[in-house]
Amino acid sequence: MSVTTRFAPAPTGRLHVGNIRTALHNWLLARARGGRFLLRFDDTDAERSRQSHVEAIRADLDWLGLDRDGEARQSERFDHYEAGFEALREAGRVYPCYETPQELELKRKVLLGRGRPPVYDRAALALTERQIADFERAGRTPHWRFRLDHDHPIAWDDLIRGPQHFDPNLLSDPVIRREDGSWLYMLPSTIDDIEMGITHVLRGEDHVTNTGLQIQIFEALGEAPPTFAHEALLVGSEGKLSKRLGSLGVEAFREAGIEPSAVTSLLARIGTADPVEPFAALAPLVESFDLDRFGRAPARFDRTELEALNARIVHQLPYEAVADRLPAGIDVAGWEAIRPNLRTVGEAEGWWRIVEGPVAPPNVDAEIAAYLDIAAASAEAIDWSADPWHALTDALKAETGRKGKPLFLPLRQALTGRESGPEMAKLLPLIGKDEAVRRLRRK
Ligand code: GLU
């Protein structure tokens, strides 16, 4: 069976780590099975949906490398929802309701007060034609509920949660359309999933009850429901999806110098039985993607883990992958020399400044000054063609008897202006003979 998945954000804001993870998993599931991955904008809410968010979401997915095989917008499909609604109405599966929000709230409170589940009592189903006519005359328009089939238990085999069961008697008939004719999420999503041939709906476990309701909508529309998988939610290191995490998205990652592959490496694996590994490309994640590996416990997102993973990915990136982001002048050798010291590609700039100079001469006492003068003379004398750093330090060891830190540290300080940094063996050839001699002379 060919697989089609979809990612269905409401364009009411930017993507955050939680929905980036859902998008990624849907993309991986489609790619792992040679299937299709669709982007669907759930933009029935004209008030809150923005074109700028639509564009930002596309750009975020592009940045992450999640390509799509198609795109749809619910706001362009209202005629489809109208047709589905009419079909359900003819089949007697939707009914008009006239309760005000206050009346509904009161009903809820009464039931809860009696220790009963706050299930809608279907009072609207008992309205007479006359009562309905009276409402209409008074200028009241109804909202619409989907009538669940109480004799038909709801069950599905969830690819992550295993067998799921719901007793429809314990669920309220969901409101699918508001008084003003606008759509709630429930029906349009079901119709789209049918018409777009979605085979697998993979989403957060906050949608489990919706799935129970939607399964009956699929069936009422004469369609077999797709396969469902509900993943445990993403939480922060403090144990919940905090506000901070809820606003953490691609923009923040870019600013912090996080590579897209660090984000995908982390979000593909947290909450699964597989280890988080630094993959600079998506292919290994596609190959190893398996819903059987997903756990039921919340996936924990840890910013420090992301940063550490990012550093490990930067250490693997070839020159070609970063060349357009490096300061002018860095070549392959330069990149490979400084790469192991970077947490982000952006930090290359700072290290490259060390190579290019100027480097401020260190403040040294007379003894170290004398040592550096000897070092400068040695640097003039050695062979620079092969491995000048070892040639220089070997010569100095023999000449001064220094070893370890007293041998190396003053050289590093004079040559780089810092106490730590990239391997000197790689840095020194980049600094070059003349500049190295000048720095050792502290001019
Ligand atoms: N727009 C819905 C959401 O973002 C989509 C849920 C779904 O995948 O069906 O929650």
Side-chain angles (χ1 to χ4, degrees):
M1 180 183 73
S2 76
V3 164
T4 303
T5 65
R6 85 299 196 274
F7 172 53
T12 53
R14 295 287 297 251
L15 301 183
H16 58 68
V17 275
N19 36 48
I20 290 173
R21 174 168 167 259
T22 306
L24 172 65
H25 291 166
N26 276 285
W27 184 89
L28 288 169
L29 175 59
R31 295 290 171 259
R33 308 266 189 104
R36 287 157 37 87
F37 170 67
L38 309 180
L39 172 60
R40 185 185 86 208
F41 288 106
D42 283 2
D43 59 351
T44 55
D45 185 342
E47 288 276 295
R48 296 177 56 234
S49 299
R50 297 261 178 288
Q51 180 60 23
S52 58
H53 294 313
V54 166
E55 282 154 25
I57 289 170
R58 286 186 194 131
D60 287 353
L61 294 176
D62 289 344
W63 185 78
L64 292 157
L66 308 183
D67 58 338
R68 284 82 69 194
D69 302 299
E71 184 185 297
R73 293 178 73 151
Q74 291 195 324
S75 57
E76 292 166 359
R77 295 178 43 79
F78 288 129
D79 50 336
H80 297 253
Y81 311 145
E82 206 65 62
F85 179 78
E86 275 315 314
L88 291 177
R89 187 145 98 154
E90 268 164 37
R93 295 301 296 273
V94 293
Y95 60 98
C97 303
Y98 293 87
E99 292 95 344
T100 63
Q102 294 75 9
E103 283 164 351
L104 290 173
E105 188 49 31
L106 188 65
K107 288 185 194 221
R108 264 176 64 79
K109 284 205 177 122
V110 169
L111 286 171
L112 288 171
R114 292 192 197 134
R116 307 254 310 276
V119 177
Y120 176 61
D121 62 6
R122 292 186 157 177
L125 273 179
L127 292 174
T128 61
E129 301 226 334
R130 178 126 182 220
Q131 284 171 306
I132 292 181
D134 286 346
F135 279 129
E136 303 275 323
R137 218 170 306 116
R140 284 174 67 172
T141 48
H143 57 275
W144 297 81
R145 287 185 192 261
F146 172 76
R147 187 172 59 76
L148 291 168
D149 180 352
H150 280 181
D151 301 326
H152 195 80
I154 298 164
W156 76 92
D157 202 1
D158 195 285
L159 291 189
I160 295 173
R161 296 166 64 87
Q164 303 290 301
H165 300 276
F166 279 99
D167 177 355
N169 293 282
L170 300 178
L171 299 172
S172 295
D173 289 338
V175 176
I176 57 167
R177 196 169 196 179
R178 299 187 189 86
E179 283 78 0
D180 62 2
S182 65
W183 301 102
L184 281 109
Y185 155 78
M186 206 61 82
L187 181 63
S189 178
T190 308
I191 291 174
D192 289 345
D193 287 342
I194 292 170
E195 295 184 1
M196 295 169 193
I198 303 303
T199 60
H200 290 70
V201 172
L202 167 55
R203 57 191 177 189
E205 65 183 13
D206 50 332
H207 281 289
V208 166
T209 309
N210 285 344
T211 296
L213 302 168
Q214 285 179 327
I215 282 179
Q216 283 217 350
I217 303 182
F218 277 103
E219 287 166 351
L221 290 168
E223 298 288 333
T227 300
F228 288 96
H230 293 86
E231 55 186 11
L233 298 183
L234 187 76
V235 297
S237 36
E238 63 283 2
K240 57 180 186 351
L241 184 73
S242 61
K243 244 190 155 164
R244 195 171 44 76
L245 211 53
S247 61
L248 187 62
V250 165
E251 210 170 17
F253 293 143
R254 282 174 104 132
E255 267 167 34
I258 301 291
E259 301 295 314
S261 53
V263 178
T264 50
S265 292
L266 185 70
L267 293 180
R269 293 282 181 85
I270 50 174
T272 77
D274 294 320
V276 171
E277 296 169 272
F279 291 121
L282 285 160
L285 293 173
V286 172
E287 275 158 38
S288 59
F289 186 78
D290 184 354
L291 287 175
D292 287 346
R293 311 289 289 165
F294 279 56
R296 296 282 304 268
R300 230 164 246 279
F301 174 86
D302 181 349
R303 177 91 195 224
T304 354
E305 189 179 8
L306 178 65
E307 283 160 9
L309 195 60
N310 194 63
R312 292 171 66 196
I313 283 175
V314 170
H315 301 165
Q316 302 173 26
L317 292 176
Y319 178 72
E320 313 79 67
V322 293
D324 57 344
R325 290 189 279 157
L326 296 179
I330 299 199
D331 56 6
V332 182
W335 168 245
E336 284 172 3
I338 57 178
R339 185 175 66 174
N341 295 278
L342 305 181
R343 287 165 302 171
T344 66
V345 173
E347 286 179 349
E349 173 102 45
W351 290 117
W352 192 241
R353 245 183 268 132
I354 295 175
V355 171
E356 299 261 279
V359 160
N363 286 323
V364 293
D365 60 21
E367 187 199 328
I368 291 181
Y371 170 55
L372 290 174
D373 288 340
I374 298 171
S378 273
E380 302 236 46
I382 58 164
D383 172 11
W384 275 77
S385 64
D387 181 356
W389 176 247
H390 286 105
L392 176 67
T393 50
D394 285 350
L396 288 171
K397 208 183 291 174
E399 192 169 344
T400 65
R402 285 179 183 249
K403 51 184 191 222
K405 201 167 155 188
L407 173 72
F408 298 117
L409 189 60
L411 299 177
R412 178 181 283 281
Q413 281 172 325
L415 288 165
T416 71
R418 304 198 192 192
E419 302 206 343
S420 62
E423 252 181 87
M424 288 303 303
K426 291 202 173 139
L427 217 43
L428 191 55
L430 301 173
I431 294 170
K433 180 175 177 179
D434 294 348
E435 180 65 15
V437 170
R438 211 175 353 258
R439 290 183 193 179
L440 291 167
R441 293 208 193 287
R442 302 165 320 283
K443 295 265 168 61

